[in-house]
Amino acid sequence: MLVLNEFTHDARVQREAKALAAANHNVTVVALWKAGLKREEERDGYRVVRLHLRSRGWRSRLVAPLVKYVEYAFRVGQLPDSRSVQVYHAHAVQTLPAAWLATRGRGHRLVYDAHELETGHNFHGFRLAGIYRHVWPWPERAFIRSADATITVNEGIADELVRLYGIADPVVVMNCPERQPFNKSTRLRDELGIPPGLKIALYQGGVVGGRGIEPFLYAIQRLPEVAGVVLGDGHLLEEYRTRAESGLWQRVYLPGKVPLDDLPHYTASADVGVTLIQDICRSYHLALPNKLFEYLQAGIPVLGSNLPEIARIIQGYNVGLVVDPDDPDAIAEALGRLLRDTDLYARSSAKARQAAAIFNWDREKVKLLDLYQNLGK
């Protein structure tokens, strides 16, 4: 399995590697090394190897990424046990060239795992957006038809990949967490000192643009009985903390990132989970965040964007409400309705618990294991 990150918080790849290892596959995840991380380690039955790339220190935003991809591809092909590999599993478009190159002429299989719609990638606010918008999806266009199998995260993106490239239907393996018991917690309230009279609305995920965090926190200002918690890290975290500390945002808590293994306990201490992806690019339009499924596993209602894949789950399974993610007034109205209408809240919570039995990794991993069982037949 190839990833172009340090492999510290990549839940999807961790789950896939663990599932395949438990099914008696010999799995190695090839990632990037940085100071403080081990070059090699064993984890949940699989091995992690981290490569030290010299090009990671380069500063040029235009040239450095290309050099990094080339160096990574070369280093993957030079791994000592590369000849014994049977399958190269490319996670996201950045690793697809390296995987394709490693399989050429050696009889290896290639699996492409499309984590999002790369032709609609979010470059909102990026100075070189015009260039990257054209260059970014090039590896997918060039190599996806060479893959022996393609995996992706939801039906909408699967349909789009078929339309764009004329490939066979991808296998949809959704970003669902492992099944967990519904054990309510008070962890957020205890650790953050949230007063007992306030309900807790939780956003968890990257603190970056396009996730509806600002409209959500402005909506909290219209709901004096609700605290808003943003659980995660990202380049906007310090700016948002400054706004909260200045008094611009009241009843807002931004504790940062928590360990992945502890996350379910924090989620279970919220009253409502929010996933307000904004429609700023095609990839976001078709997004189905894993956070939505994490809220379901905690048995809490969900307030989500009125976008196709998110709405399909929330409305199709009656687990909450959908709303315009750009409108703080609409968010406040819907959030207030969920928390104040006791019958609606009880129904949505019960439906969330039922949906958790459907949308979980125990069910999703079966599709991954079946793919590997039939690969090459």
Side-chain angles (χ1 to χ4, degrees), residues 144 149-152 155 157-159 161-162 167-172 371:
I144 191 171
T150 299
I151 300 171
T152 195
E155 297 290 347
I157 293 178
D159 291 344
L161 292 175
V162 172
I167 61 173
D169 289 340
V171 175
V172 174
L371 182 151

Side-chain angles (χ1 to χ4, degrees), residues 1-179:
M1 288 188 161
L2 307 184
V3 299
L4 209 65
N5 57 47
E6 290 88 14
F7 195 59
T8 55
H9 276 76
D10 202 326
R12 178 180 179 85
V13 183
Q14 290 181 29
R15 284 194 291 264
E16 290 189 8
K18 181 180 176 180
L20 288 167
N24 296 319
H25 294 281
N26 186 359
V27 180
T28 299
V29 177
V30 182
L32 302 182
W33 177 83
K34 71 174 182 179
L37 295 177
K38 296 178 180 178
R39 297 292 183 96
E40 294 193 23
E41 62 178 302
E42 295 289 331
R43 186 192 296 180
D44 291 324
Y46 60 89
R47 186 166 65 114
V48 180
V49 173
R50 294 187 175 92
L51 304 178
H52 183 193
L53 302 187
R54 296 182 183 277
S55 55
R56 292 200 79 189
W58 290 27
R59 296 299 179 190
S60 169
R61 287 191 171 188
L62 189 60
V63 176
L66 178 60
V67 176
K68 180 175 72 174
Y69 299 153
V70 171
E71 183 183 1
Y72 179 79
F74 175 78
R75 295 289 303 280
V76 167
Q78 296 299 308
L79 288 171
D81 54 356
S82 60
R83 292 190 177 276
S84 64
V85 174
Q86 293 177 305
V87 181
Y88 282 91
H89 188 131
H91 281 281
V93 70
Q94 302 98 318
T95 65
L96 189 53
W100 176 84
L101 191 64
T103 62
R104 294 309 89 196
R106 298 184 181 181
H108 306 308
R109 299 292 180 180
L110 171 57
V111 173
Y112 173 45
D113 204 324
H115 292 189
E116 61 177 296
L117 184 66
E118 301 296 351
T119 55
H121 194 79
N122 175 29
F123 294 110
H124 190 67
F126 186 44
R127 185 168 58 87
L128 300 175
I131 296 173
Y132 270 67
R133 201 167 282 119
H134 292 289
V135 173
W136 188 268
W138 173 80
E140 188 174 83
R141 293 191 186 112
F143 302 122
I144 191 171
R145 295 182 187 87
S146 299
D148 295 282
T150 299
I151 300 171
T152 195
V153 295
N154 65 50
E155 297 290 347
I157 293 178
D159 291 344
E160 192 72 356
L161 292 175
V162 172
R163 185 187 69 81
L164 286 169
Y165 305 117
I167 61 173
D169 289 340
V171 175
V172 174
V173 179
M174 290 185 287
N175 280 331
C176 297
E178 294 179 350
R179 194 79 166 93

